[in-house]
Amino acid sequence: MILKKVYGFIPQLPSSDCSLLPHNHYWIASKHVVTPNGTISGAVEIKQGRIISIVAEENWHVNSWFTTVVNYGEAVIMPGFIDVHAHLDDPGRTEWEGFPSGTKAAAAGGVTTLIDMPLNSAPSTVSEEALKLKVQAAEGRVYVDVGFWGGLVPENAENVTSLERLLDAGVLGLKSFMVPSGINDFPMTTSAHIKEALPTLARYRRPLLVHAEVLLDHDGKLEPEDGADNARSYSTYLKTRPASMEEAAINQLITLTKETRAGGSAEGAHLHIVHLSDARTSLNLIKEAKQRGDSITVETCPHYLAFAAEDIPDGDTRFKCAPPIRDAANKEKLWDALLEGDIDMLSSDHSPAVPEMKLLDEGDFLKAWGGISSLQFVLPATWTYGRKYGITFEQLASWWSEKPAKLAGLTTKGAIAIGNQADIVVWEPDVEFDLDNGYPVHIKHPSISAYMGSRLAGKVLATFVRGNLVHKEGNHASLACALPILHR
């Protein structure tokens, strides 16, 4: 391939610029460009933030001589990751994370768009007014594009006008919990609340994302009595969130999703199960619903694919999340389901907190705040643990870009295709690195991440958002010029 110009080190630009690459018309090239039609050796032409052509190596034309070309050699060029499940806690709990640190971490990890969850910020995004606060907090402070899910809670589920105002304000869809969320202004919904909301979502043609666990006992407790078991043992926590909680919730949901079929009363609505952990009965129920024509999808997360309950050390509360990480046999079944297409996509469920809430010194799994802090590491984690299963670049693009874009209604994102926004990650699949104190980590509290101490493969070289080179080898653009995304 003949290239006019090859960049080596691209210096940090003055603070007035949003990009580490000072051009609005250029080509990026490599031996591995992942497109919807497969991986080619070639180049992508980008102009004013859009992809305007994709050219295979053998068809490279002389017009490349008239623009700048960045040759990434053997690295992989693929669509930027879209994380549909992240908690950035902004506004109100920025000591947990915040838009600047969270989106810098996303950019460093090859995530070019994320959809922020409606809880853990203060207030929760359950009204039009709360969404406006969320958008104001994001403007001028995000390094990757950020959209927003709204919250479905009993108050707006029972008030069509309130729900319509939230949807009209631009949320990309709604999220609900079928168990207590742990956040006071985000109460749980029942299947009756979800049934009430589905016709409204059908009219707007936006999805409902559901945390699918329900309480099985009669006193509403999620924890055993103090002293009944060793609280430093992960197995003790695992007993409090059995797979039957997921199964029971999904059983309730699929009695509703039949109305999303063609001709149903909620045709146009779509149900999405977040962070599936149980790869046995719960997954089978979802597969059967799909086969019947219900509009339903499901995601899982890299931590369920990377870790197994038997291997979690006593007291290491970095691994606490809900639903919990289950046993090694369940992990293998999750991989099977992902590879076979029964699980549709992946998300981080990046759920940070301040370190003292994780009780790292006490190691009490029953009292520690749950959540895996992972946003920067999802690309190398998926690749590292997936290599033994033979995963491909095309599968990564499907799980992390194409299908998430479809769920969120992002019609110009999710693929390296002509006309799409130039949201691109460049990474080296064979380069390994250690996540230790010397590695540049941009999440606010690296110490709480279960991935710290790991050796991973898949180093991100560069991340482009709308054609701006926002991250390159540890450096970010000086100005945060990515955008809040609203449904219009």
Side-chain angles (χ1 to χ4, degrees):
M1 185 184 295
I2 301 174
L3 303 179
K4 179 197 174 189
K5 191 184 296 183
V6 178
Y7 270 78
F9 173 71
I10 301 172
Q12 183 92 4
L13 297 181
S15 61
S16 61
D17 208 299
C18 305
S19 178
L20 295 171
L21 180 63
H23 299 278
N24 63 16
H25 184 196
Y26 56 92
W27 298 74
I28 57 174
S30 86
K31 295 291 184 182
H32 308 283
V33 179
V34 183
T35 77
N37 297 318
T39 299
I40 65 169
S41 176
V44 182
E45 184 178 11
I46 298 167
K47 186 174 184 179
Q48 295 179 343
R50 296 274 179 172
I51 297 169
I52 64 172
S53 71
I54 304 164
V55 180
E57 183 173 7
E58 61 269 22
N59 296 323
W60 190 262
H61 297 301
V62 71
N63 61 0
S64 65
W65 282 90
F66 300 101
T67 56
T68 297
V69 178
V70 185
N71 186 357
Y72 286 104
E74 297 291 332
V76 176
I77 294 174
M78 66 186 296
F81 279 26
I82 298 173
D83 188 355
V84 295
H85 193 148
H87 300 263
L88 295 190
D89 317 319
D90 202 341
R93 290 190 175 93
T94 55
E95 70 276 14
W96 292 20
E97 186 65 87
F99 283 127
S101 61
T103 57
K104 277 188 173 183
V111 175
T112 54
T113 302
L114 58 83
I115 318 299
D116 191 40
M117 280 292 165
L119 70 162
N120 295 9
S121 54
S124 293
T125 315
V126 297
S127 67
E128 176 187 16
E129 295 74 21
L131 177 62
K132 289 178 180 178
L133 293 174
K134 179 76 77 170
V135 173
Q136 290 169 5
E139 288 175 340
R141 300 174 68 235
V142 292
Y143 289 82
V144 303
D145 287 351
V146 177
F148 311 97
W149 301 121
L152 179 70
V153 292
E155 182 179 357
N156 60 25
E158 297 167 353
N159 185 331
V160 172
T161 300
S162 175
L163 203 57
E164 289 176 339
R165 287 181 61 196
L166 179 57
L167 292 162
D168 286 336
V171 294
L172 302 181
L174 302 178
K175 163 73 180 297
S176 72
F177 268 70
M178 297 179 75
V179 286
S181 72
I183 299 295
N184 290 337
D185 68 346
F186 204 97
M188 60 175 278
T189 53
T190 65
S191 58
H193 294 126
I194 292 170
K195 184 177 182 179
E196 287 283 333
L198 280 180
T200 302
L201 286 162
R203 286 189 283 108
Y204 282 80
R205 294 192 173 272
R206 291 183 222 170
L208 173 64
L209 288 70
V210 182
H211 181 127
E213 291 180 288
V214 294
L215 298 173
L216 298 175
D217 58 7
H218 298 294
D219 59 10
K221 291 183 179 179
L222 282 171
E223 301 175 356
E225 295 293 334
D226 288 344
D229 289 285
N230 177 13
R232 288 180 54 83
S233 170
Y234 186 79
S235 63
T236 299
Y237 171 62
L238 193 57
K239 293 175 186 176
T240 71
R241 315 282 301 219
S244 53
M245 290 178 62
E246 290 187 84
E247 177 188 346
I250 292 167
N251 248 324
Q252 291 183 24
L253 291 170
I254 62 174
T255 67
L256 306 178
T257 56
K258 63 183 180 181
E259 300 301 331
T260 66
R261 302 173 198 167
S265 61
E267 180 183 358
H270 179 80
L271 200 74
H272 180 74
I273 307 296
V274 300
H275 51 45
L276 183 77
S277 169
D278 173 33
R280 296 178 173 91
T281 304
S282 299
L283 181 62
N284 288 332
L285 289 170
I286 296 168
K287 288 168 60 176
E288 291 167 3
K290 288 182 178 181
Q291 291 165 1
R292 292 191 297 266
D294 297 7
S295 185
I296 185 171
T297 49
V298 60
E299 69 185 45
T300 193
C301 305
H303 46 271
Y304 298 123
L305 301 168
F307 307 125
E310 304 95 309
D311 301 326
I312 296 174
D314 285 355
D316 198 342
T317 55
R318 298 177 304 162
F319 290 87
K320 180 179 178 178
C321 59
I325 296 163
R326 303 197 188 279
D327 59 40
N330 184 81
K331 180 180 73 171
E332 293 302 312
K333 289 181 179 294
L334 283 174
W335 272 112
D336 290 342
L338 183 64
L339 294 166
E340 292 168 7
D342 296 321
I343 293 175
D344 299 278
M345 66 192 79
L346 297 173
S347 75
S348 72
D349 190 14
H350 176 65
S351 187
V354 290
E356 49 266 34
M357 294 182 69
K358 296 295 282 187
L359 303 181
L360 298 173
D361 292 333
E362 296 176 40
D364 188 327
F365 278 104
L366 300 183
K367 295 179 181 178
W369 185 263
I372 303 291
S373 190
S374 60
L375 183 55
Q376 186 173 335
F377 315 128
V378 290
L379 188 161
T382 307
W383 179 248
T384 299
Y385 293 99
R387 285 186 299 179
K388 78 171 188 176
Y389 302 95
I391 66 172
T392 65
F393 302 145
E394 292 84 0
Q395 286 173 316
L396 277 180
S398 174
W399 300 332
W400 276 109
S401 305
E402 176 190 351
K403 289 179 180 175
K406 183 178 180 181
L407 176 71
L410 305 176
T411 57
T412 59
K413 294 180 181 287
I416 294 179
I418 294 172
N420 272 8
Q421 293 169 359
D423 294 349
I424 291 170
V425 57
V426 184
W427 61 289
E428 295 177 309
D430 296 327
V431 174
E432 296 186 352
F433 56 93
D434 295 311
L435 279 180
D436 54 27
N437 292 334
Y439 189 84
V441 176
H442 299 282
I443 57 176
K444 186 163 284 188
H445 302 293
S447 66
I448 69 170
S449 176
Y451 288 99
M452 295 304 292
S454 301
R455 184 168 182 82
L456 300 177
K459 181 181 179 182
V460 173
L461 294 179
T463 305
F464 298 81
V465 176
R466 299 176 185 255
N468 290 319
L469 180 58
V470 298
H471 178 265
K472 180 183 184 293
E473 297 181 358
N475 295 314
H476 289 84
S478 299
L479 203 59
C481 292
L483 298 173
I485 303 169
L486 296 173
H487 195 288
R488 296 299 186 210

